[in-house]
Amino acid sequence: MRTSAVAVALAAGTLLAPGPPLRAQDALSGVGSATEVASVQFRFEDGPSLDETDLRSRIALTGRGGLAGLREFLGFIPFVPPVGAHPFDPLELQRDMIRLRNHYHRSGFPKADVRYDVRYNAESDRVRIAFVIREGPPLAITALDFVADSGPVVLPADLQAEWAKFVEEERGKSRRYGELERRVLSDSTARWFRHAGYPFAAADPGAVIDTASNQAQVTVHVRPGVRARIRAIDVTGNSTVAARHLVRPLPVGPGDWYDGSALEKGRQQLVQMDIVRHATLEVPRDSARDSTVAVRLDVAENPPRLIRGEAGVASGGGVSGEAQWTHRSFLGGLRTFTLGVAAQTGVLALTDPPEQLYRASVTIFQPFAGDRHVSVAGGPFVEYRDDLRDRSQAIGFEGTVAYASSPLRSISLGYTISHRRVLDFGLGENLDPAQYLPLLGLATPAAAGTLDTTRNRSAISLEGSWGRLDQFANPRRGYVIRPRIEVTTPGFNTSEYVLADLSATAYIALGDRLGFTLRGFGGRIFPFGRSVDDALTESPFISLLRLRDVTFTAGGTRDLRGWGSQLAGPKLPEIRVVTEENDAGQTVTDTLSERYTPIGGLARVAGTVEMQLPMPLLSPKWQSFVFLDGGRVWTPDSRFALDAAEIDQDDFFMSTGVGIGYETIVGAVQLALGYKLNPSALDERSPQAVLDALTAGQSVTSVPAESQRRWHLHFSIGATF
């Protein structure tokens, strides 16, 4: 028989508790020391006002959670959270009920009542607990006054209007009076005074409560202290950086009224510097004299030199990595010098041939250049790439002047100058357009035109960012809008253009692990000057190819996920010409194609709707998502339009799919499977089949479609470059 002291305690506790007796599907005599809690739920008789996650954090008993049986069965799989032990303690149940009741009383529900309902299943030896909560009416604030020790709050004339506005706003907030609201009111009042020049201000709210009507008359006792100006800012803890550089981010200084909120904003800017590990601001009380105070800035510095690296795997580029050597106080101050190398090797890539990129750069970053919101960065770079655009080498310089009032509210002016030597245009192995286009029946050799193997670029760009996010690493709420305009400078450029681009992202949370991500893109390129000089006398394909470094494409892990990188929209087979002898000793030339090469366009619109979903069996680090992507890349300028009939592929394409992700210490692991909803004629056919049809003068649609080409797998680990 399993009757024990635990069951006796349960029965005794039930009799003493103000709630109803325990109800059970099986007899309570079966409850013993091995009994576990199957689940803990909350039932609200008059609607919930407090967050259920917060309520769970207030109690000691825990349940086994959802799909516990399946989780136990799959426990051998890494990352599947274990079920664990969840013992049932009747005395702890009583304490949990009292904890919840006290929490409601402290939260402004003085008449809240908490009971419990427990049901026991003898076969599984588990109980299901439900806390039944009746919140009752909240304790409403009916009056709010602010007083000083000697009567009404008296302030200098320059603060009276701002103080009146603050009082009006606080009174206008409809709220209950609880412990949290009391602390918020105390903090906001003290913070206002510290912003207005009172470094030692304090506020203590108190209330006269009418329990019969559930009303509270609140009085905030304010002790402003002395209003003081800053006499000096003393810096301690620094050994590498001089004090004058560390106080530069602070928006107020000696001679200004003390402003706690402004000093905090400056401190937050300061800790973003690489050399600064930690920074605190305080005003010692013994520093106050003659209506002035000394502010003490205490910093902890990082080592002046740093080596760091990142690695990842992307479906198109394979194993990728980046390494940087940084001097965090270059030539003194907060200036940094960074030597960086990046490599996208193509090893383990899912595409064949893979995309490769090797890049080295030197960057000097100067923060607070004349103004605490202004920074300057720039330096030279060298690059080798072998991707869908071309195989080429480049050398150049990039520089930026940025004004940022916050990380997501900035505007920057950039300049780029580069010289690129093209080794292969990506049309095929050592094929120039005069050879390539006739093979596809798109132009005669005489009408094709020619491409220089060098591309020079000198451009000025203006970019902005405006938004608000709840967090940067994994945002759940907020938005970001990023406009960009770029124009080439006269004289040096191989091609000349004006580019306008706009992207926007919004995050909408529907719960702790449920939400939407919305993305939109739009852009247009307006060629002029050298870009249009030969546009009417050569193949439009050649004219468009001269703008290939800036033309728009779509498709890939961050874009239309039913397509490979840059392959949603205009594209053509990449051709490889193979000459060999057959068995009869005759020379035979074959034209082969293993992949498509993107053409790009002068205009783009694209959008994504993605819904994030929890994965019940797995930890919160796991997340699944479903998506619907759409986009179009086309060329509205008739001088550059290919007019290639069925292979133009400038419709609005859409894809849908599912994916999963996992947050690791090296970044997110993501796997997504996309499906093309309305593929083009080329999307459903292999490059070789399309090439054979074009060279034979046949319609592309005469080639049988391959249904498996509607699917595309995207995979990435950690950082990609």
Side-chain angles (χ1 to χ4, degrees):
M1 186 174 180
R2 299 183 58 191
T3 303
S4 64
V6 175
V8 173
L10 174 62
T14 302
L15 292 175
L16 294 174
L22 293 172
R23 302 195 305 274
Q25 294 174 328
D26 293 315
L28 290 176
S29 59
V31 174
S33 58
T35 303
E36 286 203 334
V37 179
S39 64
V40 178
Q41 298 177 332
F42 297 89
R43 295 205 300 262
F44 301 92
E45 293 186 347
D46 49 4
S49 298
L50 303 184
D51 183 66
E52 186 174 314
T53 303
D54 181 47
L55 295 179
R56 290 188 183 276
S57 69
R58 307 285 173 175
I59 61 177
L61 293 180
T62 59
R64 290 161 54 86
L67 302 175
L70 187 57
R71 285 160 49 212
E72 283 183 331
F73 177 74
L74 299 176
F76 63 92
I77 299 177
F79 311 122
V80 174
V83 175
H86 304 272
F88 175 58
D89 186 341
L91 295 180
E92 203 65 62
L93 175 64
Q94 295 288 324
R95 297 188 188 102
D96 281 347
M97 181 185 67
I98 295 172
R99 292 182 185 110
L100 289 173
R101 185 179 299 155
N102 290 341
H103 177 58
Y104 266 94
H105 293 171
R106 290 193 302 269
S107 299
F109 295 92
K111 297 181 180 179
D113 182 47
V114 180
R115 298 170 287 128
Y116 53 75
D117 178 17
V118 178
R119 297 180 179 255
Y120 175 62
N121 185 291
E123 182 179 354
S124 62
D125 195 22
R126 298 188 186 110
V127 297
R128 296 184 180 276
I129 302 172
F131 289 101
V132 184
I133 300 172
R134 178 173 56 80
E135 294 181 344
L139 184 60
I141 299 176
T142 58
L144 177 61
D145 295 306
F146 296 82
V147 299
D149 291 339
S150 57
V153 177
V154 179
L155 296 173
D158 62 321
L159 296 177
Q160 290 176 3
E162 190 177 348
W163 170 247
K165 181 180 178 181
F166 171 79
V167 172
E168 182 181 358
E169 289 176 349
E170 292 296 317
R171 287 174 175 169
K173 294 176 182 176
S174 177
R175 57 189 171 190
R176 63 179 182 269
Y177 187 70
E179 184 62 32
L180 176 61
E181 290 72 24
R182 180 185 178 278
R183 290 198 302 268
V184 170
L185 184 58
S186 173
D187 292 343
S188 64
T189 304
R191 193 162 51 246
W192 185 93
F193 276 94
R194 290 169 188 161
H195 167 69
Y198 297 86
F200 309 115
D204 183 21
V208 177
I209 298 174
D210 184 347
T211 56
S213 60
N214 260 42
Q215 295 180 344
Q217 294 182 334
V218 180
T219 301
V220 181
H221 296 273
V222 180
R223 297 184 299 278
V226 63
R227 190 184 189 197
R229 293 185 181 272
I230 298 174
R231 181 177 65 254
I233 298 179
D234 301 323
V235 180
T236 61
N238 58 312
S239 58
T240 302
V241 183
R244 68 180 186 277
H245 298 295
L246 296 170
V247 300
R248 187 178 298 172
L250 304 181
V252 292
D256 298 324
W257 289 112
Y258 176 84
D259 188 337
S261 61
L263 287 170
E264 174 59 21
K265 290 179 181 178
R267 187 198 69 82
Q268 292 176 1
Q269 273 194 292
L270 183 60
V271 296
Q272 294 175 18
M273 300 297 103
D274 283 356
I275 192 66
V276 180
R277 182 171 61 212
H278 179 68
T280 59
L281 283 165
E282 63 176 344
V283 181
R285 286 188 174 272
D286 58 8
S287 73
R289 64 173 183 267
D290 300 328
S291 298
T292 63
V293 293
V295 176
R296 186 167 68 192
L297 172 62
D298 184 41
V299 299
E301 295 180 345
N302 285 311
R305 294 170 181 81
L306 172 69
I307 298 177
R308 57 188 171 192
E310 297 179 0
V313 179
S315 56
V319 176
S320 306
E322 182 178 39
Q324 292 181 343
W325 179 89
T326 300
H327 193 299
R328 299 193 253 199
S329 183
F330 181 59
L331 301 179
L334 302 172
R335 188 182 305 106
T336 63
F337 175 93
T338 300
L339 174 62
V341 293
Q344 184 173 280
T345 65
V347 178
L348 300 181
L350 299 182
T351 58
D352 185 28
E355 300 179 29
Q356 297 180 340
L357 173 67
Y358 297 91
R359 182 182 175 96
S361 63
V362 174
T363 304
I364 297 177
F365 173 70
Q366 173 63 65
F368 317 123
D371 184 276
R372 69 185 188 90
H373 296 300
V374 177
S375 60
V376 179
F381 69 89
V382 293
E383 177 184 279
Y384 170 84
R385 74 185 185 198
D386 185 0
D387 58 18
L388 295 175
R389 289 169 293 183
D390 57 37
R391 183 168 62 89
S392 61
Q393 302 168 344
I395 184 171
F397 174 89
E398 295 176 331
T400 303
V401 179
Y403 177 91
S405 58
S406 70
L408 289 178
R409 298 185 179 183
S410 63
I411 186 170
S412 63
L413 180 66
Y415 176 68
T416 300
I417 184 170
S418 65
H419 170 78
R420 182 174 299 276
R421 180 170 176 262
V422 179
L423 307 175
D424 187 335
F425 288 107
L427 312 176
E429 291 185 350
N430 301 317
L431 291 179
D432 61 38
Q435 298 171 290
Y436 174 77
L437 293 176
L439 291 174
L440 300 176
L442 297 178
T444 63
T450 59
L451 276 175
D452 293 332
T453 57
T454 60
R455 289 206 290 266
N456 296 327
R457 181 178 170 219
S458 173
I460 297 174
S461 62
L462 183 65
E463 300 184 47
S465 176
W466 183 267
R468 179 179 298 174
L469 298 175
D470 58 344
Q471 53 185 335
F472 291 106
N474 185 28
R476 299 279 295 146
R477 293 179 176 85
Y479 67 94
V480 181
I481 301 172
R482 291 190 171 96
R484 179 170 69 100
I485 296 177
E486 182 175 293
V487 59
T488 53
T489 61
F492 180 73
N493 284 279
T494 305
S495 300
E496 296 174 296
Y497 61 88
V498 175
L499 181 151
D501 192 23
L502 177 67
S503 65
T505 304
Y507 301 92
I508 304 171
L510 303 180
D512 291 339
R513 301 172 64 187
L514 184 68
F516 281 95
T517 299
L518 310 177
R519 298 187 185 95
F521 313 89
R524 178 74 161 90
I525 298 171
F526 302 92
F528 69 90
R530 295 181 180 178
S531 295
V532 300
D533 286 346
D534 300 318
L536 298 178
T537 59
E538 65 183 1
S539 166
F541 178 83
I542 302 301
S543 299
L544 194 60
L545 212 59
R546 288 198 177 94
L547 292 162
R548 201 170 192 185
D549 279 342
V550 294
T551 48
F552 294 111
T553 59
T557 304
R558 309 297 179 188
D559 211 320
L560 272 70
R561 280 164 282 191
W563 282 264
S565 176
Q566 306 180 57
L567 291 179
K571 55 185 172 288
L572 289 172
E574 180 187 274
I575 298 175
R576 182 161 56 95
V577 178
V578 179
T579 302
E580 57 186 3
E581 289 188 1
N582 60 16
D583 295 338
Q586 298 172 326
T587 301
V588 179
T589 300
D590 290 328
T591 53
L592 306 177
S593 180
E594 298 176 347
R595 68 175 182 179
Y596 289 110
T597 184
I599 300 173
L602 299 182
R604 178 183 67 168
V605 292
T608 291
V609 179
E610 180 178 292
M611 185 176 186
Q612 292 86 32
L613 302 166
M615 300 187 71
L617 288 178
L618 305 176
S619 70
K621 290 186 176 182
W622 284 94
Q623 195 162 50
S624 61
F625 53 90
V626 296
F627 59 85
L628 176 67
D629 298 342
R632 181 189 182 197
V633 175
W634 78 106
T635 298
D637 191 328
S638 60
R639 295 171 297 181
F640 296 82
L642 299 181
D643 294 327
E646 61 184 352
I647 64 173
D648 263 351
Q649 307 165 87
D650 58 0
D651 295 332
F652 189 92
F653 296 110
M654 299 185 68
S655 65
T656 187
V658 298
I660 59 174
Y662 181 76
E663 291 292 330
T664 73
I665 59 175
V666 297
V669 179
Q670 281 198 339
L671 184 68
L673 181 63
Y675 178 78
K676 304 176 182 69
L677 293 174
N678 59 333
S680 71
L682 272 64
D683 290 327
E684 291 189 290
R685 293 162 176 86
S686 70
Q688 184 64 56
V690 170
L691 174 61
D692 291 342
L694 292 176
T695 53
Q698 299 174 350
S699 170
V700 172
T701 55
S702 65
V703 179
E706 302 173 21
S707 59
Q708 72 272 16
R709 297 186 68 86
R710 282 182 173 238
W711 299 92
H712 197 92
L713 185 66
H714 300 274
F715 174 71
S716 63
I717 300 178
T720 56
F721 311 98

